[in-house]
Amino acid sequence: VDFEPKTNQIELIFQVSNFHHRRGGIWEVIRLGSEKDMRKAQERRLGFDLFLIGSIFLMALYHLGLFTFRKKDRSPLYFSIFCFLVGLRLITTGERYFVDLFPNTAWELMIKLEYLSFYLAVPAFILFMQSLFYLETSKRVSHFIAVLGCAFSCTVVFTPARVLSHTLQAYQIITLMAIIYGLYVPSIALIRKRDGAFVFLLGFIILALTAINDMLYAENVILTGYFAPFGLFIFIFCLAFIISLRFSKALTTSELQFKELKETYQAYRGEIIDRVHAEEALSESEKKYRNILNSMEDGYYEVDLSGNLTFINPAFCKHLGYSKKELVG
């Protein structure tokens, strides 16, 4: 709010009522200053948020494109969904840029989008982690967390804010369980020397610390500020690096297989050409052999193991006085 003091004393009166949310009163610290300094601080926060939002949405679109070209691997799909949800949370919290984009948005809808972006991001992340480290993850645990996330999300969709806001603390406990599980899986993968496990674990530790900080700050336990967007950006960058590494290795493997296939093809091609030449030489030799037998004056014949004639030359027929048809067999 912009105002100009008329005297050396200012009285600020805040009238607050709350009938629609579990928490009332003022959530943030009241800051006073010159208009220039306050707008600069707001623009700085908004600029940082927009930078994160743009980067995260670009990652989401890029990995969604990767999934459309290779649908067998679902890790880019889960990662894309996770990025979309994180981006949605960034524009519905903090400076709430969503309101600037859509000024007529109802407050109830804003709250639902804010909660949904959080409740759905947890199962999306767990499914993504399972697709990366499927040998180290438990399907029962992953599906259990996913079902809980969907159940809480349904509560958000079908109940008003005065009801759904009371589910946050319970879901924060589930999120802490997911964080512990998210630390356990890459740790096992790191011990087993899985590709990308170290980068995943490092990024997730940063995300976990910032997420715990934000949950404590939201409950007024500590007075630090929101750092989850920064942690999310680092973590998403680490995940993008892991996926890029996997695709790079897949491409390298494909190139090696193509090279081996080409070499095998060349070897088979040379062998086939040699075989064709040998067959042609054999056919030519047989043709010459038959011409010699058919043109000589001496009678010639071939028999099988039973003594039956299988081949005779014209001289043999001439000496016996029978046709070839009568003698063969």
Side-chain angles (χ1 to χ4, degrees), residues 93-141:
T93 57
E95 291 296 324
R96 299 185 182 274
Y97 187 65
F98 191 88
V99 179
D100 294 333
L101 294 175
F102 308 100
N104 297 324
T105 304
W107 176 84
E108 187 92 16
L109 178 59
M110 273 289 300
I111 293 296
K112 288 180 181 292
L113 292 176
E114 177 186 341
Y115 276 64
L116 278 175
S117 62
F118 173 40
Y119 287 6
L120 291 175
V122 174
F125 163 75
I126 293 297
L127 292 175
F128 171 70
M129 184 175 65
Q130 180 181 346
S131 66
L132 285 181
F133 308 112
Y134 58 91
L135 294 177
E136 287 73 31
T137 53
S138 169
K139 286 187 177 181
R140 290 184 177 180
V141 176

Side-chain angles (χ1 to χ4, degrees), residues 159-190:
T159 59
R162 66 176 181 272
V163 176
L164 68 89
S165 60
H166 288 279
T167 64
L168 180 61
Q169 291 177 319
Y171 199 74
Q172 286 175 343
I173 297 174
I174 297 173
T175 304
L176 287 175
M177 294 168 55
I179 289 174
I180 295 172
Y181 183 62
L183 291 171
Y184 167 77
V185 170
S187 299
I188 298 298
L190 182 61

Side-chain angles (χ1 to χ4, degrees), residues 17-33:
S17 64
N18 176 38
F19 304 98
H20 306 287
H21 200 275
R22 72 180 178 91
R23 287 179 57 191
I26 299 172
W27 289 11
E28 302 291 341
V29 175
I30 303 300
R31 301 182 186 276
L32 301 176

Side-chain angles (χ1 to χ4, degrees), residues 296-320:
M296 70 182 189
E297 294 296 328
D298 295 329
Y300 177 87
Y301 64 93
E302 295 176 1
V303 296
D304 58 19
L305 295 177
S306 301
N308 300 316
L309 292 171
T310 58
F311 174 79
I312 56 177
N313 67 343
F316 189 80
C317 295
K318 183 179 179 181
H319 292 319
L320 297 181

Side-chain angles (χ1 to χ4, degrees), residues 1 91 101 153 163 201 233 258 286:
V1 177
I91 62 176
L101 294 175
S153 299
V163 176
L201 182 60
F233 179 75
F258 175 76
E286 185 178 358

Side-chain angles (χ1 to χ4, degrees), residues 182-183 187 198-211 235:
L183 291 171
S187 299
F198 176 75
V199 177
F200 185 97
L201 182 60
L202 180 63
F204 187 73
I205 289 174
I206 296 174
L207 173 63
L209 292 176
T210 56
F235 180 60

Side-chain angles (χ1 to χ4, degrees), residues 44-322:
R44 191 184 302 115
R45 290 194 301 269
L46 184 60
F48 181 69
D49 286 349
L50 291 178
F51 169 74
L52 291 179
I53 292 167
S55 303
I56 291 171
F57 273 125
L58 279 176
M59 289 184 183
L61 291 173
Y62 172 72
H63 289 91
L64 183 61
L66 289 180
F67 173 72
T68 57
F69 287 108
R70 192 170 182 269
K71 295 183 178 180
K72 187 177 180 180
D73 184 8
R74 294 188 178 183
S75 58
L77 174 63
Y78 296 138
F79 182 64
S80 177
I81 294 173
F82 178 71
C83 287
F84 273 122
L85 292 170
V86 169
L88 178 61
R89 180 157 183 83
L90 287 177
I91 62 176
T92 54
T93 57
E95 291 296 324
R96 299 185 182 274
Y97 187 65
F98 191 88
V99 179
D100 294 333
L101 294 175
F102 308 100
N104 297 324
T105 304
W107 176 84
E108 187 92 16
L109 178 59
M110 273 289 300
I111 293 296
K112 288 180 181 292
L113 292 176
E114 177 186 341
Y115 276 64
L116 278 175
S117 62
F118 173 40
Y119 287 6
L120 291 175
V122 174
F125 163 75
I126 293 297
L127 292 175
F128 171 70
M129 184 175 65
Q130 180 181 346
S131 66
L132 285 181
F133 308 112
Y134 58 91
L135 294 177
E136 287 73 31
T137 53
S138 169
K139 286 187 177 181
R140 290 184 177 180
V141 176
S142 301
H143 292 168
F144 177 70
I145 295 176
V147 169
L148 285 178
C150 292
F152 274 80
S153 299
C154 290
T155 303
V156 172
V157 173
F158 296 109
T159 59
R162 66 176 181 272
V163 176
L164 68 89
S165 60
H166 288 279
T167 64
L168 180 61
Q169 291 177 319
Y171 199 74
Q172 286 175 343
I173 297 174
I174 297 173
T175 304
L176 287 175
M177 294 168 55
I179 289 174
I180 295 172
Y181 183 62
L183 291 171
Y184 167 77
V185 170
S187 299
I188 298 298
L190 182 61
I191 294 173
R192 296 177 180 177
K193 298 181 179 181
R194 305 296 186 194
D195 291 336
F198 176 75
V199 177
F200 185 97
L201 182 60
L202 180 63
F204 187 73
I205 289 174
I206 296 174
L207 173 63
L209 292 176
T210 56
I212 293 172
N213 169 84
D214 283 21
M215 285 189 288
L216 294 176
Y217 178 73
E219 297 298 329
N220 293 325
V221 177
I222 57 176
L223 300 175
T224 53
Y226 288 111
F227 293 102
F230 180 70
L232 282 168
F233 179 75
I234 294 178
F235 180 60
I236 287 175
F237 182 80
C238 292
L239 297 185
F241 174 78
I242 293 172
I243 293 179
S244 300
L245 182 65
R246 292 182 67 186
F247 271 87
S248 176
K249 287 194 173 183
L251 182 61
T252 303
T253 303
S254 177
E255 290 175 348
L256 290 174
Q257 289 177 343
F258 175 76
K259 184 179 179 181
E260 292 175 357
L261 183 62
K262 187 177 180 180
E263 292 175 352
T264 304
Y265 166 74
Q266 293 293 345
Y268 276 119
R269 186 171 179 270
E271 184 179 341
I272 290 172
I273 291 174
D274 293 340
R275 185 176 296 177
V276 169
H277 289 165
E279 290 178 354
E280 289 177 351
L282 181 61
S283 177
E284 188 67 25
S285 175
E286 185 178 358
K287 185 178 180 181
K288 289 181 181 180
Y289 169 69
R290 294 299 179 185
N291 287 336
I292 292 173
L293 292 179
N294 290 332
S295 60
M296 70 182 189
E297 294 296 328
D298 295 329
Y300 177 87
Y301 64 93
E302 295 176 1
V303 296
D304 58 19
L305 295 177
S306 301
N308 300 316
L309 292 171
T310 58
F311 174 79
I312 56 177
N313 67 343
F316 189 80
C317 295
K318 183 179 179 181
H319 292 319
L320 297 181
Y322 293 99

